[in-house]
Amino acid sequence: MSHIKELTKGIFKENPTFIIMLGMCPTLGVSTQVSNAIGMGASVIFVLTCSNIFISLLRKVIPDSVRIPCYIVIIASFVTIVEMVLHAFVPSVYEALGVYLPLIVVNCIILGRAEAFAGKNGVLDSALDGIGMGIGFTLSLSLIALIRELFGAGTITLFPVGSFDGVITVPGISESPVRVLTLAAGALLLMGYLKAFFQWKSARSQGGKA
Amino acid sequence: MTRYIKTAVILFLICAICTALCAVVNEVTAPRIAANVEGERLSALSDVSRGLEIGEQVDVGDGSINYYIPLLGGSSVAGYIVELSSSGYGGAMTIIASYDTDGAVMEAMMMANSETPGLGKKAEEPWYMEMFKGLGGESPLPSQKSDLSAEDNAAVSGASITFGGVSSALINGSEFVKGLGGAV
């Protein structure tokens, strides 16, 4: 039962974006298109899960005095692997993520979970924590990107498949979009509203007052 | 002392394992990345050639001009494709542009870059290069944002360094093409 809890806590109860407020830079920077959010989210799931497993395996070997440099080396290696794989097999996502991809190395969620969880817990729980937190981050990022792109540009950008170019244009909104949502100011505004909503939901589910 | 040596050895081993892991993945992905990059380059050359015959590549490699390729219209040179290097907000940028023999930009495309999504990345979109097309011959290319129309100025807002990098690269290319004087 506790294993399932480790997996699901990152999705809502300890959601890294809306509850713990970690990884704000890529959240605000990449959430301009849904495809970017999914690409970034998938990359974070992979890096977070692999680094959590690796760090958990080595937690009794890594000396306390050099644990942060060790964590950074491990995380940076997995980010480099993701970069190479995306560049080789999904170049469009690699191009779209640009500078945010190498910046996963310093994403607070990755180092935060390594320090707070993987360095102190077993391999299975650490892997589940990585998957759960990664999924929570991906869902949050995708939700923000969906709202920003839908109302800010009147489109939903997914991945091109066959004759489908990957862009769904929404009639009515695309002619007169709320442009501010595509800008950084709009992202912060939306983030604030969503944070307030999740805070209210969280308080409500605990039987408290929002 | 033993503690320091033990710590150093552990750190070294972790680094060695991570490096080996990256090396294996690089071995698998490098050929595919190289093929992707070459495919994009050939596609870009075709896109900027405007249907003219693409000649033989001539390497330059002076830091700002990587190489040029004459565009042949019948038996004469109708223009040139030039690969340009510049720097933007995120670091090095590569641009492929075609010019008339008088140095006016025919087409331009942003290639490799690490510009910020939503800001400098706009330079990859086709409309971005429209503001440079036809300029560089009799009419000068814009060298700063104030040279642009109000609409274009607003469009590049928030990415001045990217604009400066693209603009200076295209100006360098235009001057280079003028220097060639229609020679192959």
Side-chain angles (χ1 to χ4, degrees), chain A residues 61 70 77 87-88 95-96 100, chain B residues 10-11 18 22 32 36 117 121:
Chain A
V61 180
C70 288
S77 302
H87 198 176
E95 294 292 338
Y100 291 106
Chain B
I10 290 170
L11 202 50
C18 289
C22 289
R32 185 141 185 157
N36 287 347
K121 277 275 180 201

Side-chain angles (χ1 to χ4, degrees), chain A residues 83-92 94-95, chain B residues 24-41:
Chain A
E83 263 197 281
M84 290 189 284
V85 170
L86 286 182
H87 198 176
F89 299 105
V90 204
S92 57
Y94 172 80
E95 294 292 338
Chain B
V24 170
V25 176
N26 180 56
E27 196 63 26
V28 175
T29 56
R32 185 141 185 157
I33 291 171
N36 287 347
V37 170
E38 183 59 10
E40 281 172 19
R41 192 184 75 87

Side-chain angles (χ1 to χ4, degrees), chain B residues 145-162:
Chain B
K145 279 170 65 178
S146 57
D147 296 337
L148 298 170
S149 66
E151 194 183 340
D152 287 344
N153 199 322
V156 301
S157 171
S160 305
I161 298 174
T162 309

Side-chain angles (χ1 to χ4, degrees), chain A:
Chain A
M1 188 64 187
S2 66
H3 293 316
I4 294 170
K5 201 176 140 194
E6 296 303 346
L7 181 69
T8 55
K9 72 183 180 203
I11 298 169
F12 191 86
K13 198 180 169 194
E14 291 181 30
N15 185 286
T17 308
F18 296 126
I19 307 295
I20 310 178
M21 300 290 282
L22 288 175
M24 286 295 102
C25 305
T27 302
L28 299 178
V30 173
S31 61
T32 48
Q33 286 186 337
V34 176
S35 58
N36 293 357
I38 295 169
M40 182 72 170
S43 306
V44 167
I45 291 173
F46 176 80
V47 173
L48 190 53
T49 307
C50 292
S51 64
N52 265 14
I53 291 171
F54 224 70
I55 287 164
S56 177
L57 275 170
L58 296 171
R59 70 186 188 282
K60 288 175 184 164
V61 180
I62 297 171
D64 205 42
S65 57
V66 291
R67 70 184 191 287
I68 299 294
C70 288
Y71 294 170
I72 293 286
V73 167
I74 292 166
I75 293 164
S77 302
F78 283 113
V79 170
T80 308
I81 289 168
V82 168
E83 263 197 281
M84 290 189 284
V85 170
L86 286 182
H87 198 176
F89 299 105
V90 204
S92 57
V93 173
Y94 172 80
E95 294 292 338
L97 294 179
V99 73
Y100 291 106
L101 197 52
L103 281 178
I104 293 175
V105 175
V106 286
N107 187 323
C108 309
I109 298 171
I110 317 274
L111 193 59
R113 295 321 293 172
E115 175 72 352
F117 197 90
K120 297 168 188 161
N121 290 281
V123 177
L124 180 60
D125 284 345
S126 297
L128 293 173
D129 176 79
I131 294 168
M133 285 287 167
I135 292 172
F137 177 70
T138 308
L139 291 176
S140 310
L141 203 58
S142 302
L143 175 66
I144 297 169
L146 180 67
I147 296 171
R148 284 184 72 189
E149 194 185 357
L150 180 62
F151 294 104
T155 57
I156 299 171
T157 308
L158 302 168
F159 298 98
V161 180
S163 59
F164 172 55
D165 67 354
V167 182
I168 300 166
T169 304
V170 182
I173 306 175
S174 58
E175 292 84 19
S176 51
V178 188
R179 285 275 180 225
V180 71
L181 281 173
T182 60
L183 306 174
L188 279 167
L189 205 65
L190 177 63
M191 188 64 212
Y193 281 120
L194 287 171
K195 168 74 181 157
F197 173 75
F198 275 82
Q199 199 75 38
W200 171 74
K201 278 287 279 180
S202 177
R204 201 164 167 238
S205 66
Q206 286 166 14
K209 289 179 181 176

Side-chain angles (χ1 to χ4, degrees), chain B residues 4-178:
Chain B
Y4 289 126
I5 292 170
K6 190 184 165 195
T7 302
V9 168
I10 290 170
L11 202 50
F12 170 78
L13 285 175
I14 288 172
C15 290
I17 292 167
C18 289
T19 307
L21 209 58
C22 289
V24 170
V25 176
N26 180 56
E27 196 63 26
V28 175
T29 56
R32 185 141 185 157
I33 291 171
N36 287 347
V37 170
E38 183 59 10
E40 281 172 19
R41 192 184 75 87
L42 293 176
S43 168
L45 291 180
S46 172
D47 288 346
V48 301
S49 68
R50 282 195 181 171
L52 294 164
E53 187 188 339
I54 299 172
E56 289 291 312
Q57 179 176 317
V58 181
D59 292 328
V60 180
D62 69 354
S64 58
I65 313 285
N66 300 335
Y67 62 80
Y68 74 91
I69 302 172
L71 287 171
L72 308 169
S75 57
S76 61
V77 174
Y80 297 92
I81 295 174
V82 186
E83 189 183 90
L84 306 151
S85 287
S86 186
S87 57
Y89 185 75
M93 303 189 295
T94 305
I95 297 160
I96 288 183
S98 57
Y99 294 88
D100 287 339
T101 48
D102 64 357
V105 175
M106 291 161 63
E107 301 285 343
M109 283 181 77
M110 174 69 90
M111 303 302 289
N113 69 87
S114 303
E115 298 307 284
T116 314
L119 297 171
K121 277 275 180 201
K122 286 177 185 171
E124 289 180 349
E125 294 170 23
W127 61 262
Y128 193 95
M129 294 301 180
E130 289 291 330
M131 66 180 102
F132 300 103
K133 280 187 192 175
L135 303 176
E138 288 177 11
S139 308
L141 281 156
S143 59
Q144 47 198 355
K145 279 170 65 178
S146 57
D147 296 337
L148 298 170
S149 66
E151 194 183 340
D152 287 344
N153 199 322
V156 301
S157 171
S160 305
I161 298 174
T162 309
F163 170 78
V166 172
S167 164
S168 64
L170 291 173
I171 290 170
N172 285 340
S174 176
E175 294 302 320
F176 177 78
V177 164
K178 284 175 188 170

